[in-house]
Amino acid sequence: MNVTKSNQLLINIGLLIAIALSVILMGKLKPQDKPAIAQNPIVENADEEDQEEFTSPLQKDRPLRMSLSVDNPSYLKVRLNDEIKIGDIISDNSTERQRLERQKKSIKLQIDNLKSKTLIAPTPPPPTPLIRSLPDSAFEEEQANISQAELKLQQAKSILNSRSKLLTTDNPERRAEFEKAGASLAIASQKIQEQEQMIAAMNDMKMQPEILQHEQSKLRKLQSELDQARSEVEQSQAKLSAAAIIQSQELEQLKTNVILAESELKIAKSRLESAINRRQIQEYQASVEESKRSQTITQSNQDYERSRLQYEEATRNKDYQLAQLGISLSAIEDKLADIPIVRSPRNGYIKKVKPWVGKDGKYTTTITIVSNNISLNNKSSNGTKSTITTNTDSNTDKPR
């Protein structure tokens, strides 16, 4: 530190010369040959003046010595004569870093998977539609049909009773016509008998033939009238029989009307009973539907409550898992941040790597980086040494 302060004056004087030289050289260098600004490494136990000395433009082209302290020599990622650029890794626990990066990636995938899962909140059950109440029971139509059927039955019985006596006897008109035709037949028969007796008597008396012929002609006329009377009797008899058949049919029809009226009355009463039974069935079904509706409402509310609790539990589990994964991710990121990494502060070549020296589980070496603008044969005499100690158990060696 005292040596550095004593040389500060010389450095300031040389700084002016270096600035002038750099202005001249920068105009001649190609863009790819221009020196990049090195990242400032963390220098253990170095004050601000050391940092200024380390990063001063005068030191850019001078060899840089870096002292490394690691847990395993395999952490060194450069070899002798390797070309190195600003930001290139010099020392790193890549095995542990890769392992932690894989864990970090796995946890991020789990977090993304959990976040991509959408939990759908259950919706409350819709209101169950109300059941329309049954209208008041009314059997006026059935009762009116019964009253009408009773009236028809009463009318049919009344007609049957009033017509029965008349329909069970002969038709008076036809009977009178038949009796009149029978009387005419009897008279005609009586006249023929008398005429035949007269002709027989005249034959016995041997009357003149002309008289006998006249009487016989009269007899034939009477026989014709007898045939006509007999035909009228037959016609009146047929009419009387036909009237009896019609009366019998009418009587049967009246009896049938009574039977039909009784049947209609039974049907009307049966319809009333059926309507009453249907009403009872409807009331029973309505009570069953009301019971089902109540059970459905209860079941829907229970299902919704169960789904809501499951959703809340799933949400809590998701949040808990995300919190756990977040804690694990933070822990891994902390571990990654705790892994020391040393990057090159300048462009150049690895000129020298000292042999490893092990002590108390730590391995120490010193590497020398020379600039691209200085030959490897003339760097050792003008080197500037900067001590950078990395420790896998310390946070002071984290990259900036």
PDB file of all heavy atoms in Angstrom, residues 161-180:
ATOM      1  N   ASN A 161    -143.607 -47.232 -20.056  1.00  0.00           N
ATOM      2  CA  ASN A 161    -144.787 -47.541 -19.241  1.00  0.00           C
ATOM      3  C   ASN A 161    -146.077 -47.067 -19.917  1.00  0.00           C
ATOM      4  O   ASN A 161    -147.118 -47.737 -19.837  1.00  0.00           O
ATOM      5  CB  ASN A 161    -144.665 -46.883 -17.861  1.00  0.00           C
ATOM      6  CG  ASN A 161    -143.554 -47.505 -17.033  1.00  0.00           C
ATOM      7  OD1 ASN A 161    -143.215 -48.692 -17.224  1.00  0.00           O
ATOM      8  ND2 ASN A 161    -142.960 -46.724 -16.138  1.00  0.00           N
ATOM      9  N   SER A 162    -146.014 -45.919 -20.573  1.00  0.00           N
ATOM     10  CA  SER A 162    -147.229 -45.395 -21.203  1.00  0.00           C
ATOM     11  C   SER A 162    -147.584 -46.142 -22.489  1.00  0.00           C
ATOM     12  O   SER A 162    -148.758 -46.228 -22.860  1.00  0.00           O
ATOM     13  CB  SER A 162    -147.053 -43.892 -21.500  1.00  0.00           C
ATOM     14  OG  SER A 162    -145.982 -43.695 -22.410  1.00  0.00           O
ATOM     15  N   ARG A 163    -146.611 -46.691 -23.155  1.00  0.00           N
ATOM     16  CA  ARG A 163    -146.857 -47.345 -24.426  1.00  0.00           C
ATOM     17  C   ARG A 163    -146.930 -48.864 -24.318  1.00  0.00           C
ATOM     18  O   ARG A 163    -147.334 -49.523 -25.272  1.00  0.00           O
ATOM     19  CB  ARG A 163    -145.723 -46.986 -25.409  1.00  0.00           C
ATOM     20  CG  ARG A 163    -145.619 -45.516 -25.750  1.00  0.00           C
ATOM     21  CD  ARG A 163    -146.607 -45.111 -26.796  1.00  0.00           C
ATOM     22  NE  ARG A 163    -146.349 -45.757 -28.066  1.00  0.00           N
ATOM     23  CZ  ARG A 163    -147.136 -45.679 -29.118  1.00  0.00           C
ATOM     24  NH1 ARG A 163    -148.275 -44.967 -29.045  1.00  0.00           N
ATOM     25  NH2 ARG A 163    -146.853 -46.297 -30.248  1.00  0.00           N
ATOM     26  N   SER A 164    -146.574 -49.406 -23.183  1.00  0.00           N
ATOM     27  CA  SER A 164    -146.540 -50.872 -23.047  1.00  0.00           C
ATOM     28  C   SER A 164    -147.921 -51.487 -23.243  1.00  0.00           C
ATOM     29  O   SER A 164    -148.089 -52.462 -23.979  1.00  0.00           O
ATOM     30  CB  SER A 164    -145.991 -51.265 -21.681  1.00  0.00           C
ATOM     31  OG  SER A 164    -144.699 -50.809 -21.502  1.00  0.00           O
ATOM     32  N   LYS A 165    -148.904 -50.929 -22.559  1.00  0.00           N
ATOM     33  CA  LYS A 165    -150.255 -51.497 -22.611  1.00  0.00           C
ATOM     34  C   LYS A 165    -150.821 -51.415 -24.016  1.00  0.00           C
ATOM     35  O   LYS A 165    -151.487 -52.341 -24.500  1.00  0.00           O
ATOM     36  CB  LYS A 165    -151.163 -50.767 -21.621  1.00  0.00           C
ATOM     37  CG  LYS A 165    -152.537 -51.383 -21.495  1.00  0.00           C
ATOM     38  CD  LYS A 165    -153.350 -50.669 -20.422  1.00  0.00           C
ATOM     39  CE  LYS A 165    -154.718 -51.293 -20.277  1.00  0.00           C
ATOM     40  NZ  LYS A 165    -155.534 -50.612 -19.231  1.00  0.00           N
ATOM     41  N   LEU A 166    -150.573 -50.310 -24.687  1.00  0.00           N
ATOM     42  CA  LEU A 166    -151.082 -50.128 -26.036  1.00  0.00           C
ATOM     43  C   LEU A 166    -150.365 -51.041 -27.018  1.00  0.00           C
ATOM     44  O   LEU A 166    -150.989 -51.606 -27.934  1.00  0.00           O
ATOM     45  CB  LEU A 166    -150.927 -48.656 -26.445  1.00  0.00           C
ATOM     46  CG  LEU A 166    -151.412 -48.287 -27.838  1.00  0.00           C
ATOM     47  CD1 LEU A 166    -152.916 -48.557 -27.968  1.00  0.00           C
ATOM     48  CD2 LEU A 166    -151.093 -46.842 -28.153  1.00  0.00           C
ATOM     49  N   LEU A 167    -149.066 -51.207 -26.839  1.00  0.00           N
ATOM     50  CA  LEU A 167    -148.294 -51.988 -27.789  1.00  0.00           C
ATOM     51  C   LEU A 167    -148.452 -53.491 -27.589  1.00  0.00           C
ATOM     52  O   LEU A 167    -148.116 -54.269 -28.483  1.00  0.00           O
ATOM     53  CB  LEU A 167    -146.799 -51.601 -27.696  1.00  0.00           C
ATOM     54  CG  LEU A 167    -146.459 -50.158 -28.113  1.00  0.00           C
ATOM     55  CD1 LEU A 167    -144.994 -49.879 -27.877  1.00  0.00           C
ATOM     56  CD2 LEU A 167    -146.825 -49.925 -29.580  1.00  0.00           C
ATOM     57  N   THR A 168    -148.965 -53.891 -26.430  1.00  0.00           N
ATOM     58  CA  THR A 168    -149.172 -55.328 -26.198  1.00  0.00           C
ATOM     59  C   THR A 168    -150.534 -55.810 -26.714  1.00  0.00           C
ATOM     60  O   THR A 168    -150.816 -57.005 -26.691  1.00  0.00           O
ATOM     61  CB  THR A 168    -149.066 -55.620 -24.698  1.00  0.00           C
ATOM     62  OG1 THR A 168    -149.950 -54.761 -23.962  1.00  0.00           O
ATOM     63  CG2 THR A 168    -147.646 -55.431 -24.216  1.00  0.00           C
ATOM     64  N   THR A 169    -151.430 -54.922 -27.157  1.00  0.00           N
ATOM     65  CA  THR A 169    -152.732 -55.289 -27.751  1.00  0.00           C
ATOM     66  C   THR A 169    -152.701 -54.982 -29.247  1.00  0.00           C
ATOM     67  O   THR A 169    -151.822 -54.271 -29.735  1.00  0.00           O
ATOM     68  CB  THR A 169    -153.866 -54.503 -27.084  1.00  0.00           C
ATOM     69  OG1 THR A 169    -153.629 -53.100 -27.222  1.00  0.00           O
ATOM     70  CG2 THR A 169    -153.948 -54.842 -25.603  1.00  0.00           C
ATOM     71  N   ASP A 170    -153.771 -55.565 -29.967  1.00  0.00           N
ATOM     72  CA  ASP A 170    -153.822 -55.355 -31.400  1.00  0.00           C
ATOM     73  C   ASP A 170    -154.121 -53.896 -31.710  1.00  0.00           C
ATOM     74  O   ASP A 170    -154.782 -53.188 -30.923  1.00  0.00           O
ATOM     75  CB  ASP A 170    -154.893 -56.240 -32.050  1.00  0.00           C
ATOM     76  CG  ASP A 170    -154.526 -57.714 -31.963  1.00  0.00           C
ATOM     77  OD1 ASP A 170    -153.299 -57.991 -31.873  1.00  0.00           O
ATOM     78  OD2 ASP A 170    -155.421 -58.554 -31.988  1.00  0.00           O
ATOM     79  N   ASN A 171    -153.797 -53.537 -32.934  1.00  0.00           N
ATOM     80  CA  ASN A 171    -154.086 -52.187 -33.398  1.00  0.00           C
ATOM     81  C   ASN A 171    -155.591 -52.078 -33.618  1.00  0.00           C
ATOM     82  O   ASN A 171    -156.171 -52.831 -34.399  1.00  0.00           O
ATOM     83  CB  ASN A 171    -153.349 -51.934 -34.706  1.00  0.00           C
ATOM     84  CG  ASN A 171    -153.424 -50.471 -35.131  1.00  0.00           C
ATOM     85  OD1 ASN A 171    -154.323 -49.742 -34.717  1.00  0.00           O
ATOM     86  ND2 ASN A 171    -152.503 -50.065 -35.993  1.00  0.00           N
ATOM     87  N   PRO A 172    -156.303 -51.165 -32.939  1.00  0.00           N
ATOM     88  CA  PRO A 172    -157.768 -51.100 -33.053  1.00  0.00           C
ATOM     89  C   PRO A 172    -158.247 -50.859 -34.482  1.00  0.00           C
ATOM     90  O   PRO A 172    -159.216 -51.469 -34.945  1.00  0.00           O
ATOM     91  CB  PRO A 172    -158.151 -49.916 -32.141  1.00  0.00           C
ATOM     92  CG  PRO A 172    -157.006 -49.795 -31.201  1.00  0.00           C
ATOM     93  CD  PRO A 172    -155.792 -50.209 -31.969  1.00  0.00           C
ATOM     94  N   GLU A 173    -157.565 -50.052 -35.222  1.00  0.00           N
ATOM     95  CA  GLU A 173    -157.977 -49.747 -36.598  1.00  0.00           C
ATOM     96  C   GLU A 173    -157.852 -50.979 -37.469  1.00  0.00           C
ATOM     97  O   GLU A 173    -158.761 -51.319 -38.234  1.00  0.00           O
ATOM     98  CB  GLU A 173    -157.113 -48.603 -37.131  1.00  0.00           C
ATOM     99  CG  GLU A 173    -157.500 -48.172 -38.547  1.00  0.00           C
ATOM    100  CD  GLU A 173    -156.622 -47.026 -39.020  1.00  0.00           C
ATOM    101  OE1 GLU A 173    -155.766 -46.537 -38.228  1.00  0.00           O
ATOM    102  OE2 GLU A 173    -156.771 -46.629 -40.193  1.00  0.00           O
ATOM    103  N   ARG A 174    -156.665 -51.661 -37.302  1.00  0.00           N
ATOM    104  CA  ARG A 174    -156.466 -52.855 -38.104  1.00  0.00           C
ATOM    105  C   ARG A 174    -157.410 -53.974 -37.665  1.00  0.00           C
ATOM    106  O   ARG A 174    -157.897 -54.761 -38.486  1.00  0.00           O
ATOM    107  CB  ARG A 174    -155.009 -53.316 -37.987  1.00  0.00           C
ATOM    108  CG  ARG A 174    -153.973 -52.291 -38.470  1.00  0.00           C
ATOM    109  CD  ARG A 174    -154.236 -51.911 -39.916  1.00  0.00           C
ATOM    110  NE  ARG A 174    -153.320 -50.876 -40.395  1.00  0.00           N
ATOM    111  CZ  ARG A 174    -153.454 -50.266 -41.537  1.00  0.00           C
ATOM    112  NH1 ARG A 174    -154.495 -50.537 -42.348  1.00  0.00           N
ATOM    113  NH2 ARG A 174    -152.601 -49.342 -41.913  1.00  0.00           N
ATOM    114  N   ARG A 175    -157.641 -54.008 -36.350  1.00  0.00           N
ATOM    115  CA  ARG A 175    -158.575 -55.036 -35.843  1.00  0.00           C
ATOM    116  C   ARG A 175    -159.979 -54.784 -36.396  1.00  0.00           C
ATOM    117  O   ARG A 175    -160.673 -55.724 -36.819  1.00  0.00           O
ATOM    118  CB  ARG A 175    -158.568 -55.013 -34.328  1.00  0.00           C
ATOM    119  CG  ARG A 175    -159.653 -55.876 -33.677  1.00  0.00           C
ATOM    120  CD  ARG A 175    -159.535 -57.342 -34.062  1.00  0.00           C
ATOM    121  NE  ARG A 175    -158.294 -57.928 -33.586  1.00  0.00           N
ATOM    122  CZ  ARG A 175    -157.992 -59.208 -33.763  1.00  0.00           C
ATOM    123  NH1 ARG A 175    -158.804 -59.999 -34.475  1.00  0.00           N
ATOM    124  NH2 ARG A 175    -156.847 -59.673 -33.325  1.00  0.00           N
ATOM    125  N   ALA A 176    -160.418 -53.553 -36.413  1.00  0.00           N
ATOM    126  CA  ALA A 176    -161.763 -53.231 -36.927  1.00  0.00           C
ATOM    127  C   ALA A 176    -161.844 -53.534 -38.405  1.00  0.00           C
ATOM    128  O   ALA A 176    -162.847 -54.086 -38.918  1.00  0.00           O
ATOM    129  CB  ALA A 176    -162.083 -51.756 -36.668  1.00  0.00           C
ATOM    130  N   GLU A 177    -160.788 -53.198 -39.142  1.00  0.00           N
ATOM    131  CA  GLU A 177    -160.767 -53.486 -40.564  1.00  0.00           C
ATOM    132  C   GLU A 177    -160.826 -54.990 -40.810  1.00  0.00           C
ATOM    133  O   GLU A 177    -161.524 -55.456 -41.718  1.00  0.00           O
ATOM    134  CB  GLU A 177    -159.503 -52.870 -41.178  1.00  0.00           C
ATOM    135  CG  GLU A 177    -159.429 -53.026 -42.701  1.00  0.00           C
ATOM    136  CD  GLU A 177    -158.176 -52.392 -43.251  1.00  0.00           C
ATOM    137  OE1 GLU A 177    -157.402 -51.733 -42.486  1.00  0.00           O
ATOM    138  OE2 GLU A 177    -157.930 -52.541 -44.462  1.00  0.00           O
ATOM    139  N   PHE A 178    -160.085 -55.742 -39.967  1.00  0.00           N
ATOM    140  CA  PHE A 178    -160.096 -57.203 -40.116  1.00  0.00           C
ATOM    141  C   PHE A 178    -161.468 -57.773 -39.797  1.00  0.00           C
ATOM    142  O   PHE A 178    -161.978 -58.647 -40.520  1.00  0.00           O
ATOM    143  CB  PHE A 178    -159.037 -57.819 -39.190  1.00  0.00           C
ATOM    144  CG  PHE A 178    -159.055 -59.294 -39.165  1.00  0.00           C
ATOM    145  CD1 PHE A 178    -158.599 -60.062 -40.255  1.00  0.00           C
ATOM    146  CD2 PHE A 178    -159.578 -59.984 -38.069  1.00  0.00           C
ATOM    147  CE1 PHE A 178    -158.652 -61.431 -40.212  1.00  0.00           C
ATOM    148  CE2 PHE A 178    -159.599 -61.357 -38.037  1.00  0.00           C
ATOM    149  CZ  PHE A 178    -159.139 -62.102 -39.107  1.00  0.00           C
ATOM    150  N   GLU A 179    -162.095 -57.265 -38.759  1.00  0.00           N
ATOM    151  CA  GLU A 179    -163.434 -57.770 -38.386  1.00  0.00           C
ATOM    152  C   GLU A 179    -164.461 -57.402 -39.460  1.00  0.00           C
ATOM    153  O   GLU A 179    -165.371 -58.183 -39.781  1.00  0.00           O
ATOM    154  CB  GLU A 179    -163.852 -57.202 -37.034  1.00  0.00           C
ATOM    155  CG  GLU A 179    -163.020 -57.769 -35.892  1.00  0.00           C
ATOM    156  CD  GLU A 179    -163.412 -57.168 -34.558  1.00  0.00           C
ATOM    157  OE1 GLU A 179    -164.229 -56.205 -34.564  1.00  0.00           O
ATOM    158  OE2 GLU A 179    -162.871 -57.633 -33.511  1.00  0.00           O
ATOM    159  N   LYS A 180    -164.362 -56.229 -40.045  1.00  0.00           N
ATOM    160  CA  LYS A 180    -165.284 -55.813 -41.100  1.00  0.00           C
ATOM    161  C   LYS A 180    -165.121 -56.714 -42.311  1.00  0.00           C
ATOM    162  O   LYS A 180    -166.109 -57.141 -42.943  1.00  0.00           O
ATOM    163  CB  LYS A 180    -164.999 -54.363 -41.462  1.00  0.00           C
ATOM    164  CG  LYS A 180    -165.924 -53.831 -42.551  1.00  0.00           C
ATOM    165  CD  LYS A 180    -165.601 -52.375 -42.848  1.00  0.00           C
ATOM    166  CE  LYS A 180    -166.520 -51.853 -43.964  1.00  0.00           C
ATOM    167  NZ  LYS A 180    -166.227 -50.441 -44.285  1.00  0.00           N
TER     168      LYS A 180
END
